[in-house]
Amino acid sequence: MLGQGFVSAAAIAASVLFILSLGGLSNQEKAKRAVWYGIVGMALAVFFTSLGPGIGGYWWLIPMMVIGAGIGVYVAGKVEMTEMPQLVAALHSFVGLAAVFVAWSADLERRRVLAAQAADGVMQEFSAFAALVATKAPDELTFLQIEVVFAIFIGAVTFTGSVVAFGKLAGKVDGKPRQLPGGHLLNAGAAVLSLLLAILYLNGAGFWTLIVLAALSFFIGYHLIMGIGGADMPVVVSMLNSYSGWAAAAVGFTLSNDLLIVTGALVGSSGAILSYIMCKAMNRNFVNVILGGFGGSQGPAAEIEGEQVAIDAGGVASALNDADSVIIVPGYGMAVAQAQTAVSDLVRKLRASGKTVRFGIHPVAGRLPGHMNVLLAEAKVPYDIVLEMDEINDDFATTDVVIVIGSNDIVNPAAEEDPNSPIAGMPVLKVWEAKQVFVSKRGQGTGYSGIENPLFFKDNTRMFYGDARDSLNALLPLID
């Protein structure tokens, strides 16, 4: 058993490491070291917290930690990089559910302490948390109850919302916005009922209020995310990340755990900032994203003229062999086909021929912020040729060839040309300004969001149909 001084010192060290980890993740070259900062910080947090004052029950605590670590190692080894978005959503759900359970337990302990004090004023057996509760003044107990309410509400919304997000990202739930009859009124009604239950609880109502509050919050999380379209999933994932952080912070206040408060606040604030950045990248209002499906057209979309013209590997190779500059724009289709290694091989071959090759990355490409950057880093694509949208958008007009791999909305000119389009005003990569555009795509469908793309019908665009990995592997031997 360690003293509180050791635990506090470890909490400060872990907090510093978490801050360094977040700061390092903003740069691809520093990201690996930043991840290790986070790993070491979490190891310190778990070790010193488990040995802190008032902690016991090691006969079950240690096995649970070993089992949890084993599951983590197994999942890390089994999950493909292309499945990272749904894994992140699943992990958010665990944080939310843990917050609900801790809040319930905290209130049960509070009730047990008050009952013992009312009986004889002596606690025969008590946990570290119960001992803490026994020293609190009435106004401090009221704040404890408020913290319990917040932890349950935010945690329950995070849990079911993350489960639905996992289903949509994994393709197990329809990506289109779905809501029950009554739509947002149901969410508003559940929120009002939750507030009434919180008031009843704070005025002495029984534990049943917290159970019903959790049930209503579970519904809000489920119905809220079901009503959001698949194209908004990058924002939803970062938003749920923020929710999980605030849920952890609320639990930290409940348990008087400074490290949990700091860590939760870091995750919550960074997730909120990332959500704002994602919304800005999509020209979307954050509240509108949370309350509804993707887009909101004001009239009939513009008619698209022309036809999609297909091309084979030989035609694409000929254009690439003649080109001096090439920009590759990856999207979720590259992740699904696991084509990042083939893309990396193509880049090495083109650069060996003296061609200038770069990548254009849209902030919401894929199903998770930074999804494409992670996949390209895994395939060992040099960091210095992977550029963000703002860095490369002005260069398309002077580029010989653009290869679009599995992208749709982020290269859709309707965002600029059609005010009635559901994505009108969304900043996009202006690939159509290049001399030639080749789109690697499975078929003629409209993609995840169901929005038609005029790019596919333009005179300088050719459709390179087929599985992205197979198509690129067929192209590689033809490059000089």
Side-chain angles (χ1 to χ4, degrees):
M1 195 76 67
L2 297 175
Q4 185 59 44
F6 283 100
V7 176
S8 299
I12 294 173
S15 298
V16 171
L17 287 169
F18 291 148
I19 293 171
L20 291 173
S21 179
L22 280 175
L25 291 174
S26 63
N27 184 293
Q28 290 182 358
E29 295 182 5
K30 299 177 182 177
K32 184 178 292 187
R33 184 168 66 243
V35 169
W36 276 107
Y37 286 149
I39 292 172
V40 174
M42 187 55 67
L44 284 174
V46 172
F47 179 77
F48 283 95
T49 299
S50 62
L51 295 179
I55 303 299
Y58 291 105
W59 61 271
W60 63 265
L61 179 60
I62 292 176
M64 289 298 100
M65 292 171 63
V66 172
I67 292 172
I71 293 174
V73 171
Y74 173 77
V75 171
K78 182 177 177 61
V79 173
E80 299 286 345
M81 292 300 295
T82 53
E83 298 173 330
M84 286 301 295
Q86 47 264 49
L87 175 63
V88 170
L91 294 176
H92 290 162
S93 72
F94 297 155
V95 177
L97 191 59
V100 174
F101 286 153
V102 170
W104 277 344
S105 299
D107 187 69
L108 290 173
E109 286 288 83
R110 180 188 69 86
R111 292 177 186 277
R112 191 164 76 91
V113 169
L114 293 178
Q117 290 176 338
D120 55 16
V122 178
M123 292 287 294
Q124 299 298 327
E125 295 182 6
F126 55 90
S127 65
F129 179 73
L132 178 66
V133 171
T135 63
K136 289 183 178 291
D139 58 337
E140 292 177 311
L141 288 177
T142 299
F143 276 108
L144 172 63
Q145 289 180 276
I146 294 174
E147 293 157 7
V148 165
V149 168
F150 274 108
I152 290 175
F153 182 80
I154 300 173
V157 169
T158 302
F159 172 68
T160 49
S162 297
V163 169
V164 173
F166 168 84
K168 290 195 173 191
L169 291 167
K172 301 180 184 297
V173 177
D174 191 346
K176 295 180 180 179
R178 304 285 186 187
Q179 287 187 325
L180 296 173
H184 300 311
L185 290 178
L186 287 176
N187 295 335
V192 171
L193 287 176
S194 298
L195 179 60
L196 292 176
L197 286 166
I199 293 173
L200 287 174
Y201 166 68
L202 292 174
N203 283 276
F207 185 75
W208 66 269
T209 54
L210 297 183
I211 296 177
V212 179
L213 172 63
L216 288 170
S217 303
F218 284 143
F219 169 78
I220 292 173
Y222 161 80
H223 199 235
L224 199 64
I225 306 304
M226 280 297 293
I228 300 175
D232 281 332
M233 277 301 114
V235 180
V236 170
V237 171
S238 60
M239 174 199 70
L240 291 170
N241 178 55
S242 179
Y243 286 0
S244 68
W246 299 126
V251 169
F253 280 108
T254 302
L255 300 177
S256 296
N257 186 310
D258 294 337
L259 180 58
L260 203 52
I261 294 171
V262 172
T263 304
L266 286 173
V267 174
S269 56
S270 60
I273 293 170
L274 185 58
S275 298
Y276 170 76
I277 293 172
M278 294 295 102
C279 286
K280 185 177 180 181
M282 298 169 66
N283 193 35
R284 301 274 277 129
N285 182 282
F286 179 73
V287 175
N288 289 341
V289 171
I290 303 308
L291 293 182
F294 184 63
S297 60
Q298 303 299 315
E303 293 186 5
I304 300 177
E305 298 180 354
E307 62 179 354
Q308 297 184 21
V309 180
I311 193 171
D312 59 14
V316 177
S318 178
L320 287 173
N321 288 331
D322 292 338
D324 292 321
S325 57
V326 178
I327 295 178
I328 300 174
V329 178
Y332 189 62
M334 184 186 78
V336 172
Q338 299 186 36
Q340 60 269 27
T341 300
V343 170
S344 181
D345 292 340
L346 176 63
V347 169
R348 280 193 289 271
K349 203 162 188 180
L350 290 173
R351 296 184 78 190
S353 300
K355 304 179 189 305
T356 300
V357 184
R358 293 175 294 168
F359 285 82
I361 307 297
H362 194 281
V364 296
R367 295 291 179 267
L368 187 74
H371 193 184
M372 296 300 103
N373 302 74
V374 171
L375 292 178
L376 294 175
E378 180 197 25
K380 302 193 182 326
V381 171
Y383 298 139
D384 60 337
I385 65 171
V386 180
L387 306 178
E388 299 297 326
M389 177 177 64
D390 293 340
E391 298 175 301
I392 203 168
N393 232 2
D394 292 336
D395 295 344
F396 284 109
T398 57
T399 299
D400 295 322
V401 172
V402 170
I403 303 177
V404 178
I405 305 175
S407 294
N408 190 353
D409 300 323
I410 63 172
V411 293
N412 193 332
E416 294 191 352
E417 300 170 357
D418 182 7
N420 292 327
S421 171
I423 60 172
M426 171 180 166
V428 292
L429 290 159
K430 302 178 183 180
V431 299
W432 59 90
E433 294 183 351
K435 295 177 183 178
Q436 290 181 289
V437 181
F438 299 109
V439 180
S440 176
K441 198 168 180 289
R442 286 182 180 273
Q444 297 188 359
T446 54
Y448 197 58
S449 66
I451 301 172
E452 190 62 82
N453 191 341
L455 169 70
F456 304 157
F457 300 85
K458 288 187 175 291
D459 293 337
N460 63 334
T461 298
R462 293 295 181 267
M463 307 301 295
F464 191 24
Y465 291 122
D467 177 85
R469 183 171 59 180
D470 294 342
S471 298
L472 291 173
N473 285 333
L475 183 63
L476 284 170
L478 306 177
I479 302 298
D480 294 339

